[in-house]
Amino acid sequence: MKKISFSMLPVLWLALALHGCGEQKEAAIIMGADQPDKYLPYLEGKNVALAINNSSLIGNQLSLDTLLFLGVNIVKGFGPEHGIRGGNIYDSIDAKTGIPVISLYRGKVKPTKEDLEGVDVMIFDMQNVGTKFYTYKATLRYVMEACAENNVELIVFDRPNPNDYVDGPINEFSSFVGLDPIPILHGMTMGEYALMLNGEGWLENNLKCDLKVIKMLNWKHGDPYILPVAPSPNLNTQQSILLYPSLCLFEGTVINLGRRTDPLIAFTVIGNPELKDIYSFSYEVYGADETTVHYGLDLRNYNTDIFRETGRMNLGWYIELYNSYPDKGNFFRQSANGSYR
């Protein structure tokens, strides 16, 4: 494949910024990925791996496809939960490009020494939604640790945080949905989070990753941000993304969050069949053997601006449904929750 001359970068940057975006607004946000003049010269002659998903766009195309077109020598990909194109979560060969893809969700969560053999630079680019339990953040930490252990440089393409405020308790336990001592809403971009992991010494054995962050242009904390693509299948609308921090705690209860609905309305409704006598709003949930009717709250038209204006998540729904649920002794039973989710 013919390599793009670096002398063309200013023209290329403009083309990528405008491609597929329609009429441009003044001072449009320019993502880290959309600034190839800042990273393409650095990648020349190196073996590059990508830790990406379907939100990893340059212009309106997946970064894997665009970087290959630009002549970058991509040797493998690493896929988080939901995969690199929003589907396959297992080790595979990318059907479009032929690049081998290693899953960091099924089987293992951290690249091995063998996985990184022959890799000079890793690029990490995934859209963050700003909560401690969103798994892409854990994937970032494990990628950083693996890069630090194997002398692989890491470049993070930064993107805005749509839930850009700090609220909630700091977790006391460590798991894939909460590795680090941060609040539910941490108020950072992925680039800032990577810098904090390095700076606080939170990587295993106090390792330091050789890290470079390609920062955004024309975005600052406090600015709203509407995602151009769903960061994961169940966060398929801006409303669901902004409600997610307040509703995800229901995952540990018998309350359904709109999963397995048609059309998919996950994280915009909450309910349970046992709430029939309390709430009039209902929706259907499709199981393997039967369809159940759930009753609860419809939040599809809730004014989510209040989260950014107040800097507070909403625990009121959690308290309300707990008080409404008739069998409080089983409200937190995961086995019961599994039958409804």
Side-chain angles (χ1 to χ4, degrees):
M1 183 176 295
K2 186 177 180 180
K3 185 175 293 187
I4 301 296
S5 169
F6 292 137
S7 65
M8 297 173 59
L9 284 175
V11 175
L12 174 63
W13 173 86
L14 182 60
L16 288 171
L18 298 178
H19 183 54
C21 296
E23 183 179 352
Q24 298 298 295
K25 296 181 179 180
E26 185 177 355
I29 301 171
I30 300 174
M31 306 301 169
D34 288 325
Q35 302 174 67
D37 55 319
K38 292 185 178 178
Y39 58 81
L40 278 185
Y42 186 75
L43 301 177
E44 188 174 15
K46 296 181 179 179
N47 295 331
V48 179
L50 302 180
I52 61 171
N53 67 357
N54 67 299
S55 70
S56 310
L57 303 179
I58 297 178
N60 65 352
Q61 294 194 44
L62 192 71
S63 58
L64 170 59
D65 304 326
T66 302
L67 292 175
L68 282 172
F69 172 75
L70 296 177
V72 176
N73 184 31
I74 300 174
V75 295
K76 63 184 63 176
F78 291 88
E81 182 180 5
H82 310 301
I84 69 169
R85 293 188 189 270
N88 192 349
I89 58 173
Y90 299 95
D91 291 355
S92 62
I93 300 296
D94 181 52
K96 183 173 181 179
T97 65
I99 300 294
V101 177
I102 298 169
S103 173
L104 297 180
Y105 186 69
R106 284 287 184 244
K108 61 184 171 185
V109 294
K110 180 177 175 179
T112 65
K113 180 179 180 179
E114 291 73 23
D115 292 335
L116 294 177
E117 187 173 350
V119 174
D120 301 312
V121 181
M122 174 84 79
I123 293 174
F124 187 99
D125 184 16
M126 299 176 200
Q127 177 62 60
N128 177 30
V129 299
T131 66
K132 71 179 179 183
F133 33 66
Y134 206 57
T135 60
Y136 302 156
K137 178 180 52 58
T139 299
L140 170 63
R141 173 172 160 175
Y142 285 128
V143 166
M144 288 181 66
E145 287 181 354
C147 287
E149 291 166 353
N150 294 281
N151 298 314
V152 173
E153 299 165 283
L154 179 66
I155 300 176
V156 175
F157 293 165
D158 213 3
R159 298 178 182 274
N161 179 352
N163 289 301
D164 182 39
Y165 55 103
V166 178
D167 195 24
I170 294 176
N171 56 293
E172 298 180 10
F173 304 99
S174 180
S175 73
F176 195 58
V177 291
L179 283 177
D180 305 309
I182 59 172
I184 290 177
L185 288 129
H186 52 72
M188 287 175 281
T189 67
M190 283 295 232
E192 291 168 340
Y193 197 80
L195 291 168
M196 185 183 73
L197 288 172
N198 250 3
E200 293 294 326
W202 286 351
L203 301 184
E204 189 175 3
N205 298 320
N206 200 29
L207 290 168
K208 300 294 182 183
C209 178
D210 187 351
L211 174 67
K212 181 179 181 64
V213 176
I214 307 299
K215 298 180 180 180
M216 297 164 283
L217 301 177
N218 305 325
W219 184 85
K220 66 181 184 301
H221 286 289
D223 290 348
Y225 175 60
I226 299 176
L227 274 65
V229 61
S232 54
N234 282 293
L235 295 183
N236 62 347
T237 63
Q238 185 73 5
Q239 187 76 352
S240 65
I241 291 166
L242 299 181
L243 287 168
Y244 175 74
S246 296
L247 299 189
C248 197
L249 291 175
F250 281 111
E251 295 276 21
T253 74
V254 297
I255 300 300
N256 172 271
L257 289 165
R259 296 180 184 271
R260 300 205 309 262
T261 54
D262 187 19
L264 183 62
I265 51 176
F267 294 101
T268 61
V269 297
I270 46 179
N272 182 283
E274 298 300 318
L275 296 174
K276 180 178 181 178
D277 296 332
I278 308 296
Y279 298 100
S280 60
F281 169 71
S282 66
Y283 60 95
E284 293 183 334
V285 175
Y286 300 94
D289 302 317
E290 64 177 345
T291 298
T292 55
V293 179
H294 287 56
Y295 297 84
L297 299 177
D298 182 359
L299 303 174
R300 286 173 289 183
N301 294 316
Y302 181 80
N303 180 14
T304 54
D305 289 343
I306 194 170
F307 299 130
R308 182 167 51 85
E309 293 169 356
T310 63
R312 294 288 183 268
M313 58 189 292
N314 190 333
L315 293 179
W317 298 313
Y318 200 73
I319 296 169
E320 176 182 344
L321 267 67
Y322 173 78
N323 288 334
S324 299
Y325 193 71
D327 186 6
K328 292 178 176 53
N330 287 319
F331 186 80
F332 298 102
R333 286 189 60 186
Q334 291 188 358
S335 57
N337 188 31
S339 68
Y340 295 130
R341 288 174 60 194

